[in-house]
Amino acid sequence: MSAETADTAEPTELATGSADAASRRREQRGWYFYDFACSVYSTSVLTVFLGPYLTSVAKAAADADGFVHPLGIPVRAGSLFAYAVSVSVVVAVLVMPVVGAAADRTGRKKPLLAAAAYVGAAATTGMFFLDGHRYLLGAFLLIVANASISVSMVLYNAYLPQIAEPDERDAVSSRGWAFGYTSGAFVLVLNLVLYTGHDSFGLSESEAVRICLASAGVWWGAFTLVPLRRLRDRRVTPGGEGAVGSGWRQLMNTLRDMRRHPLTLSFLLAYLVYNDGVQTVISQASVYGSEELGLDQTTLITAVLLVQVLAVAGALGMGRLARVYGAKRTILGSLVVWTLILVAGYFLPADAPVFFYVLASAIGLVLGGSQALSRSLFSHLVPRGKEAEYFSAYEMSDRGLSWLGPLVFGLAYQLTGSYRDAIISLVIFFVVGSVLLARVPIRRAVAAAGNPVPERI
């Protein structure tokens, strides 16, 4: 098939085997690199540095009772980061349907991916200027960057059914996560060198943190160039209303269409619940470690580095387990481990980094695999030709509707003043999510979506 033919193919043509394997693998390798680019934000910014640092900036600006007052609303300084994450999710919810509609109506995912990626990268780079009492600037940049990465992931995930055959998707999705964790680990090593040796570099601790934050934005923007060069746009027949005007109507149409695929909707509901817990653990772990357990920043960086290294092996290892036991059973096993992690975290003693490292190791082994397999499993449940709009709904579950966990976490701390009470409250997300997932007959769901059923799923 010529390059010209490939560029004008229908949206699912690559996924149905009409493109040659070499062309498909070239796109897959480019696709992996978006995870390589943006995962540094998730790791260095969201998981390690920004939570504790923004909390310290907010505490410096707080009144005698420990409250800041954004827009005149009294907010405990220790809850600001969690609330900002929740607001970023609301912003993403408003934008993602518009982006999903535009991608499906025009077939031009790549320019939209570029716009979302570079808005997020610019906001992250701007975190260099977060100092003094500028907690409002920090919250604003967090909202923009977090919403941008959510929007970009709608488009990134929607490529998966187009660049991978059904029996390849578990492996391709797992490799994407592995690429992301590899880059996260590498940059964290550089962050650790800079942060621990900031005096020898002539930097204050605050300057070192702000450089680490900004460098994640530079990394994100630089490596986004690779997928933008390798991924292809597929042309579709124009028609219908403009995407901006019909974004929400498109989402409503997607949800109505999902009513014709109730098993797909059932999986999405289960994923919404348990992934809310996963995302909250990721975003709040450093705050819990620093504020409740009294761990220093070096310990937190080292622990997250351990998560990154083990997550590469975990994502690949769980991909292999899925080939033997099926993706659904493997995900259910990981959710049991997540529940045990939270219970253990509640009882962790303060000032005991060894126990924190053990918990970080457990998180690393299940983190990448549970997310990668969920993504590949959902790709089997998407009707052909509706990848972007269905993955828009998926991304709203992945990031866009993951506002409840941070909100519960922030409210629990605001009401009790205890991060231990906040962390144990997240168990409910994994328990309920497991029950809902166990009730979904995956093989019937794949067939009902009109897709070939893999031998093992």
Side-chain angles (χ1 to χ4, degrees), residues 71-407:
L71 304 178
I73 302 170
V75 173
R76 192 183 291 270
S79 295
L80 178 72
F81 176 70
Y83 290 156
V85 172
S86 289
V87 172
S88 74
V89 169
V90 174
V91 173
V93 166
L94 295 174
V95 177
M96 283 191 291
V98 175
V99 172
D104 279 335
R105 290 177 185 278
T106 67
R108 294 180 60 78
K109 295 184 184 71
K110 196 156 65 171
L112 295 168
L113 176 63
Y118 284 109
V119 168
T124 305
T125 305
M127 291 177 187
F128 178 79
F129 301 102
L130 174 59
D131 61 357
H133 292 180
R134 296 178 178 175
Y135 72 92
L136 281 176
L137 174 64
F140 172 75
L141 293 175
L142 168 60
I143 290 166
V144 172
N146 220 39
S148 296
I149 198 170
S150 296
V151 171
S152 73
M153 292 301 289
V154 169
L155 303 155
Y156 170 70
N157 287 335
Y159 273 105
L160 181 59
Q162 298 177 340
I163 65 173
E165 300 286 358
D167 59 356
E168 296 178 308
R169 290 179 197 165
D170 286 349
V172 170
S173 183
S174 295
R175 288 190 200 111
W177 283 105
F179 263 62
Y181 288 119
T182 300
S183 72
F186 175 72
V187 173
L188 268 184
V189 170
L190 300 180
N191 291 160
L192 183 61
V193 170
L194 178 64
Y195 180 79
T196 57
H198 60 81
D199 287 334
S200 61
F201 291 108
L203 299 171
S204 67
E205 182 178 347
S206 171
E207 289 171 335
V209 170
R210 289 187 288 117
I211 289 173
C212 291
L213 292 171
S215 65
V218 174
W219 181 282
W220 184 359
F223 283 98
T224 294
L225 292 172
V226 178
L228 292 181
R229 287 180 62 85
R230 293 202 170 190
L231 292 173
R232 306 182 202 177
D233 278 331
R234 279 88 171 165
R235 294 177 188 170
V236 296
T237 303
E241 302 172 73
V244 174
S246 64
W248 274 96
R249 283 187 288 276
Q250 179 69 64
L251 177 61
M252 294 301 104
N253 290 338
T254 300
L255 294 177
R256 280 193 291 269
D257 187 68
M258 281 186 176
R259 293 171 61 185
R260 299 192 300 109
H261 303 283
L263 298 180
T264 299
L265 193 58
S266 296
F267 172 81
L268 196 60
L269 176 61
Y271 179 70
L272 183 155
V273 175
Y274 72 73
N275 186 66
D276 205 347
V278 172
Q279 294 297 327
T280 307
V281 172
I282 293 171
S283 65
Q284 305 303 320
S286 288
V287 174
Y288 182 74
S290 62
E291 298 296 320
E292 184 67 36
L293 302 181
L295 303 176
D296 60 34
Q297 191 73 58
T298 300
T299 299
L300 296 176
I301 296 172
T302 308
V304 175
L305 179 59
L306 183 62
V307 170
Q308 297 300 113
V309 172
L310 291 177
V312 176
L316 298 176
M318 286 182 64
R320 293 183 179 181
L321 286 175
R323 289 200 293 270
V324 177
Y325 299 104
K328 176 183 172 180
R329 289 182 180 178
T330 306
I331 294 169
L332 285 171
S334 76
L335 297 181
V336 173
V337 177
W338 275 111
T339 302
L340 295 175
I341 286 170
L342 288 177
V343 173
Y346 177 80
F347 292 105
L348 272 188
D351 300 313
V354 173
F355 291 106
F356 192 71
Y357 289 145
V358 172
L359 209 61
S361 300
I363 290 174
L365 291 174
V366 295
L367 176 59
S370 59
Q371 293 179 316
L373 292 178
S374 296
R375 177 172 64 188
S376 63
L377 190 56
F378 182 71
S379 73
H380 293 285
L381 310 181
V382 177
R384 293 177 182 176
K386 298 184 177 181
E387 293 84 5
E389 61 179 274
Y390 267 61
F391 267 106
S392 177
Y394 175 86
E395 190 63 24
M396 290 175 72
S397 300
D398 186 359
R399 297 173 191 269
L401 290 183
S402 293
W403 55 269
L404 186 57
L407 182 61

Side-chain angles (χ1 to χ4, degrees), residues 46-58:
L46 196 62
T47 304
V48 177
F49 286 107
L50 188 58
Y53 185 70
L54 181 57
T55 300
S56 69
V57 171

